[in-house]
Amino acid sequence: MNSRNELGLYINGSWRRGEGRDIHNVINPATGAVIAELPLATASDLEEALDATAKGFAHWRTVDVNERAAILHTVAGLIRERAEDIAVLLTTEQGKPLAEARTEVLSCASQFDYFAEEAKRSYGRVLVRPTGQRSLVLKQPVGPVAAFSPWNFPVNLMCKKMAAALAAGCSIIAKPPEETPFCTSAIMQCVIDGGVPGTVAQLVYGVPDMVSRHLIASPVIRKVSFTGSVPVGKHLLKLAADGVKRTTMELGGHAPVLVFDDCDLEKAIKLSSTQKFRNAGQVCISPTRFYVQEGIYDRFVAGFAEATKKVQMGNGLDASTIMGPLANDRRPPAIEKLVRDATDKGAKLLAGGERGEGGYFYQPTVLADVPMTADIMTDEPFGPVALIRPFKDFDEAIAQANRLPFGLAAYAFTENARQANLVADALDTGMVGLNSFVISMPDAPFGGVKESGFGSEGGPEGLDSYYVTKAVHQY
């Protein structure tokens, strides 16, 4: 590991080590070996962080938006300068191929640059009133934020929250995953070196339930932002309700892909087989349930299976690797159980279906003719498994796509412009990709509906979630 990167808790302007604290072992998922010991926050640490963030907010909210923007641009520049080092850290502790890690790190820089400028455009309104009277609608920072982010995109998802909160004038306590502390600590060092005060941005790791309960229960915290599973999101919502705190929830998905018989079939197969195995399928918007129109079903299945067999699995630091390991030891047995259930119920295994050797590997897997009774058709696999079923017509495709309680992302392939418009309207999701899987950009809202959560990250909508509205009337 790069020795210039700190590892620990960053509280009230200083890094804290492991003295008197419990330790979490950091694992390289490609080998299963312990690579570091991470100190976990105590209740005393969290109290100090809460006291500091209250003081930090009182200061940061008064800093001119142009000065805040200049600091965030400096942070973005430092992330770009250190991108290669951070990407290696990310791959080593999370597993994804180095090329994917580089892209993720650079996306962090884009987040800071975007929100630095977008904050300057939060204008508010002046209402029409008689001469001598004024009514103003102001946007003001909501207050100190507790931000919880997961291990699948550890730096990008932390930065989505942090960049927007800081741009809006909020202070933030970030709690990224314990599985990936080196890369997230390295990003935090960029934030520190970029000029964000140590009371304004802080970093904690710890037992997730203890940390979330402690932070959310504090009257200091006024906003909770969470990315993760549906059950955990519901739990945090209940905690936040006690303090009537603002929340943004980006929860799980089970993304359908509708492949119509008028599509560019070669393009659909190529993009689908590439995107399905990005980050080993550990992506909340990963294309998973492929519904393919009957006229092209057999050709799509054959082409997808052939492409999948060419996906090179291995250590993410190897240049030839296309798909790395799963992120932790819980994932391979969970995927294995779902695949076995599906094949026992009649699904056809066309590629993969087995664990790899060493580390936390599971082969890129394709299941065709998957019955609706299979658990994997309802439970998000969050792994490298593609599920393929045929459909007859538009209505059936939409019904199947919308049947689950999730509504994060959905995709469709069609060359018919009218059909594209109809499917985009009919899909009950927060995001839709048409002939593309690229749906996450700094200037676009990212979020779901139904049990996939509410609120947005990214775009002006993401910045708005860190503001409260105040009406001022003068007579």
Side-chain angles (χ1 to χ4, degrees):
M1 293 294 177
N2 190 328
S3 60
R4 81 177 181 182
N5 291 312
E6 301 282 358
L7 179 64
L9 313 169
Y10 185 73
I11 297 173
N12 197 16
S14 66
W15 290 98
R16 309 297 172 85
R17 306 294 179 231
E19 296 84 357
R21 299 177 176 89
D22 289 338
I23 295 296
H24 172 83
N25 287 330
V26 183
I27 308 294
N28 182 335
T31 65
V34 176
I35 54 177
E37 292 184 338
L38 173 69
L40 303 180
T42 64
S44 176
D45 289 325
L46 298 177
E47 279 301 309
E48 184 178 353
L50 287 164
D51 182 63
T53 201
K55 296 174 182 175
F57 173 62
H59 160 69
W60 189 245
R61 67 179 301 176
T62 67
V63 174
D64 179 74
V65 68
N66 292 292
E67 183 179 344
R68 292 202 305 264
I71 290 172
L72 297 188
H73 281 310
T74 300
V75 172
L78 290 172
I79 292 173
R80 291 190 177 95
E81 288 177 15
R82 303 172 188 179
E84 188 65 17
D85 286 346
I86 300 173
V88 170
L89 297 174
L90 172 53
T91 292
T92 302
E93 59 190 350
Q94 197 274 343
K96 67 183 60 180
L98 190 55
E100 292 183 20
R102 290 190 188 103
T103 299
E104 180 177 347
V105 174
L106 292 175
S107 74
C108 295
S110 297
Q111 295 284 348
F112 277 96
D113 275 337
Y114 172 78
F115 284 115
E117 293 302 310
E118 189 62 28
K120 300 175 185 179
R121 293 184 280 270
S122 294
Y123 301 123
R125 289 183 290 144
V126 178
L127 307 181
V128 177
R129 292 292 183 267
T131 299
Q133 300 178 16
R134 289 289 183 269
S135 288
L136 309 176
V137 180
L138 307 178
K139 293 182 180 181
Q140 295 186 322
V142 64
V145 176
F148 305 92
S149 49
W151 45 258
N152 58 332
F153 289 91
V155 295
N156 180 50
L157 294 176
M158 183 179 82
C159 287
K160 270 188 175 184
K161 303 172 191 303
M162 185 174 285
L166 294 175
C170 299
S171 58
I172 185 170
I173 301 175
K175 192 273 179 199
E178 288 68 41
E179 290 91 341
T180 55
F182 274 105
C183 60
T184 47
S185 293
I187 291 289
M188 189 66 197
Q189 191 65 57
C190 294
V191 172
I192 298 164
D193 294 345
V196 177
T199 56
V200 173
Q202 300 177 88
L203 187 73
V204 300
Y205 304 93
V207 178
D209 187 58
M210 187 277 281
V211 174
S212 60
R213 286 181 184 275
H214 199 117
L215 294 182
I216 296 174
S218 171
V220 170
I221 297 298
R222 295 311 313 156
K223 163 74 188 281
V224 177
S225 180
F226 172 73
T227 301
S229 71
V230 173
V232 175
K234 290 180 178 180
H235 168 67
L236 297 187
L237 280 171
K238 293 175 183 177
L239 296 179
D242 286 339
V244 196
K245 299 181 190 296
R246 176 80 66 86
T247 58
T248 297
M249 293 282 149
E250 195 266 279
L251 308 179
H254 202 322
V257 184
L258 307 184
V259 185
F260 291 92
D261 57 12
D262 62 4
C263 75
D264 180 334
L265 183 58
E266 183 177 343
K267 176 182 178 181
I269 292 172
K270 181 179 180 180
L271 292 182
S272 297
S273 59
T274 299
Q275 288 299 311
K276 171 64 254 183
F277 304 113
R278 180 172 71 102
N279 198 22
Q282 300 167 121
V283 185
C284 57
I285 57 172
S286 180
T288 300
R289 296 179 290 142
F290 292 85
Y291 297 103
V292 183
Q293 201 154 17
E294 290 176 338
I296 59 171
Y297 180 75
D298 290 340
R299 284 181 290 163
F300 182 89
V301 168
F304 198 114
E306 181 182 0
T308 299
K309 293 174 183 177
K310 297 177 182 178
V311 175
Q312 179 66 40
M313 183 173 66
N315 190 314
L317 294 175
D318 295 339
S320 61
T321 293
I322 296 175
M323 191 189 89
L326 298 175
N328 56 60
D329 61 358
R330 303 183 300 276
R331 300 310 307 147
I335 300 298
E336 188 173 51
K337 180 180 179 182
L338 288 170
V339 170
R340 185 184 302 114
D341 172 79
T343 55
D344 286 347
K345 292 175 179 175
K348 297 177 181 176
L349 178 63
L350 301 183
E354 296 181 0
R355 296 195 198 191
E357 296 182 1
Y360 307 140
F361 291 96
Y362 194 91
Q363 295 176 345
T365 298
V366 177
L367 297 173
D369 302 345
V370 186
M372 298 302 295
T373 56
D375 292 344
I376 201 168
M377 290 299 292
T378 301
D379 300 337
E380 180 186 18
F382 214 66
V385 185
L387 317 171
I388 313 178
R389 282 182 56 86
F391 72 86
K392 291 182 180 181
D393 55 29
F394 181 92
D395 289 341
E396 180 187 356
I398 295 300
Q400 290 300 319
N402 288 342
R403 73 178 184 86
L404 296 182
F406 309 113
L408 187 59
Y411 309 93
F413 285 85
T414 176
E415 292 300 305
N416 183 312
R418 177 171 174 77
Q419 183 158 259
N421 289 335
L422 291 172
V423 74
D425 285 344
L427 288 168
D428 196 5
T429 57
M431 297 170 286
V432 176
L434 298 174
N435 300 318
S436 173
F437 293 104
V438 180
I439 62 173
S440 178
M441 287 79 71
D443 59 352
F446 189 102
V449 298
K450 301 192 291 188
E451 291 196 11
S452 289
F454 53 82
S456 296
E457 293 184 322
E461 296 83 0
L463 186 64
D464 280 346
S465 72
Y466 292 94
Y467 288 122
V468 290
T469 301
K470 177 183 286 185
V472 179
H473 305 280
Q474 180 179 357
Y475 295 93

